[in-house]
DNA sequence: CGCAAGATTGAAGGACATCAAAGGGCGTGG
DNA sequence: CCACGCCCTTTGATGTCCTTCAATCTTGCG
């Protein structure tokens, strides 16, 4: 994997929602303490139940945050793209990670000790504002997801998952918009809150209608507006 | 409705998760600006989509926070008991209320202008810590709810709703533990993410088994551990 | 070429939503 | 005080959505 230059690291930090707006000196503190981790695809970043020893900022790649309930059924709470923070609530509140984070592509993570972040936040009001902003946004988002999970049918939820994925890691190809990270039907199912049988069948149906092209570990969306109509429709 | 004494108001504020830990002078500012509102049961406190002009702290009663999706299907995100804050994310982030709040019992609400709260938070790091704590807790909670909604069956979700309600507003009666606020089958259904037919049928089944007593707008739990077993069981 | 992981497809059954109809409880007005 | 009407609730019937199991197929890789 290609290493990130110091400049890349600096830019990623000062553009991130957490460190945004820090002045030069403060940012230097952050940069001095950073550790850069490179991970291959499908590597565990942290595990549900672990004590949060570190905060992460994804510089490059793609990460899945998923929770396992009592049954052992995994649910993906969120997919994380470059520039986003991982584990913020656990670190801020000093509770064990409520979910497991796994890279879905070769990734580069910037990471800091939790204690160091807590120290910084404590004396820096700007950081505290940013933290509140991030967590507030997460809360809103989860509330929407909950409402959708409670009221929408599987077809709509799968459509939404696809729309979200193309928005996050969509890559323009001649035929349309491809999800730029290899994801199995199972991966999609965990995002949509169903099983891979349903995803497979739904993909087949949409493929027949010319809405998508479904291949092993890959999907390309041909007709975005059709998907949006399905995701938005009442019944 | 019985008015709250000044002492009650003061105690409610300084015990609340938001104003906790403020010193006397700071708390005075808060108390000077407070407005006390008394609402009958089933009154709308704020409506989804409104701009967040005020922050609320429930002093007495019970409030339902529910979201309406595109279909018009309502989902209850949360039930709020005395001492808890309403609308915190909307006020902190200055976005329109993402849900509607309605009293489920005669209630007393303490309320402040959003602008005043924002000003206070801005100059008081303690308040900012508390705000972050509150929102972080909400995020965690919503993540759990989402996982459960995605993986659990209706029976388990109804059991959980009952357990949650008895924990929040349970009242000891000779037969067992009664939900101390009148709630229709429809209200319970919105919490559990289903319809009132399912709730009615499930209640009937549990009543036959001697686990609960179901009456019009009222439920009494006779066998708490049976309900817990149902809520926790894998299949 | 053969294996393993991913993906498809059919069949069967259960869980759940939906519709229809009718049965109580409670307050209001006569 | 009784009757009426409204809302909450129950209950059955029906059909659909979805899960689950089993078997087979495909794809990529060693």
């Amino acid at each position: 994997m290609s290493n990130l230059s110091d400049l890349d690291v600096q830019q990623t930090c000062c553009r991130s929602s957490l460190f945004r707006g820090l002045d030069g000196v403060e940012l230097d503190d952050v940069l001095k303490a950073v550790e850069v981790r490179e991970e291959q695809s499908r590597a565990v970043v942290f595990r549900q139940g672990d004590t949060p020893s570190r905060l992460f900022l994804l510089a490059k790649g793609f990460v899945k945050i998923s929770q396992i309930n009592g049954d052992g059924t995994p649910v993906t709470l969120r997919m994380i793209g470059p520039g986003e923070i991982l584990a913020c609530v656990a670190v801020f509140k000093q509770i064990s990670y409520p979910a497991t984070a796994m890279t879905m592509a070769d990734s580069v993570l910037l990471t800091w000790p939790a204690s160091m972040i807590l120290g910084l936040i404590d004396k820096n009001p700007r950081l505290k504002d940013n933290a509140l902003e991030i967590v507030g946004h997460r809360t809103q988002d989860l509330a929407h997801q909950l409402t959708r999970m409670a009221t929408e049918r599987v077809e709509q939820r799968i459509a939404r998952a696809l729309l979200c994925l193309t928005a996050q890691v969509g890559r323009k190809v001649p035929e349309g918009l491809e999800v730029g990270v290899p994801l199995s039907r199972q991966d999609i199912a965990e995002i949509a809150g169903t099983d891979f049988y349903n995803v497979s069948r739904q993909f087949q149906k949409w493929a027949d209608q010319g809405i998508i092209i479904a291949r092993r570990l890959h999907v390309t969306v041909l007709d975005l507006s059709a998907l949006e109509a399905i995701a938005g429709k009442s019944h």
Side-chain angles (χ1 to χ4, degrees), chain A:
Chain A
M1 274 291 90
S2 63
N3 258 311
L4 264 64
S5 71
D6 285 354
L7 184 61
D8 289 336
V9 170
Q10 188 185 330
Q11 285 201 350
T12 302
C13 285
C14 70
R15 281 177 189 162
S16 73
S17 47
L18 183 59
F19 298 123
R20 178 179 302 158
L22 290 192
D23 65 32
V25 181
E26 294 163 335
L27 202 58
D28 268 358
D29 284 350
V30 171
L31 290 172
K32 253 181 289 186
V34 72
E35 179 185 318
V36 181
R37 283 195 196 173
E38 306 193 355
E39 299 281 5
Q40 291 191 318
S41 188
R42 308 271 162 176
V44 172
V45 179
F46 54 82
R47 205 176 294 275
Q48 183 171 347
D50 286 356
T51 55
S53 54
R54 304 191 75 88
L55 180 87
F56 299 88
L57 169 55
L58 184 63
K60 191 164 160 297
F62 205 47
V63 171
K64 168 178 86 174
I65 305 289
S66 59
Q67 209 170 49
I68 301 200
N69 86 336
D71 302 12
T73 315
V75 176
T76 296
L77 297 176
R78 195 175 164 221
M79 301 298 277
I80 289 186
E84 291 187 82
I85 301 283
L86 290 85
C88 54
V89 176
V91 168
F92 298 159
K93 290 199 68 181
Q94 283 295 289
I95 50 166
S96 56
Y97 295 122
T100 296
M102 178 181 273
T103 58
M104 292 284 104
D106 293 343
S107 301
V108 179
L109 294 137
L110 310 184
T111 167
W112 296 265
S115 56
M116 185 248 167
I117 293 290
L118 285 172
L120 266 184
I121 287 186
D122 208 40
K123 35 176 221 229
N124 195 319
R126 179 66 201 226
L127 264 186
K128 224 173 265 184
D129 289 342
N130 289 348
L132 189 56
E133 175 80 15
I134 295 170
V135 182
H137 193 268
R138 291 278 299 119
T139 302
Q140 257 195 99
D141 191 54
L142 280 170
H144 277 130
Q145 272 188 265
L146 179 63
T147 300
R148 291 200 299 257
M149 189 66 72
T151 62
E152 291 184 346
R153 308 202 164 275
V154 167
E155 182 185 21
Q156 289 175 270
R157 303 206 302 265
I158 296 174
R160 249 179 230 292
L162 271 189
L163 289 173
C164 188
L165 286 170
T166 50
Q168 282 189 293
V169 288
R171 191 178 18 170
K172 261 233 152 324
V173 291
E175 307 94 316
L177 198 55
E178 183 181 10
V179 176
V181 165
L183 295 174
S184 69
R185 304 288 182 266
Q186 175 68 36
D187 292 326
I188 313 264
E190 286 173 22
I191 298 173
T194 181
D195 53 34
F196 67 91
Y197 300 105
N198 278 312
V199 175
S200 179
R201 273 185 250 268
Q202 194 60 60
F203 275 17
Q204 205 56 37
K205 201 178 294 174
W206 286 338
D208 292 345
Q209 295 171 14
I211 297 175
I212 63 169
I213 298 173
R215 280 186 302 267
R216 186 190 177 87
L217 296 176
H218 293 276
V219 203
T220 304
V221 176
L222 307 181
D223 189 346
L224 208 63
S225 58
L227 266 193
E228 282 163 354
I230 292 165
K233 79 180 174 190
S234 314
H235 230 266

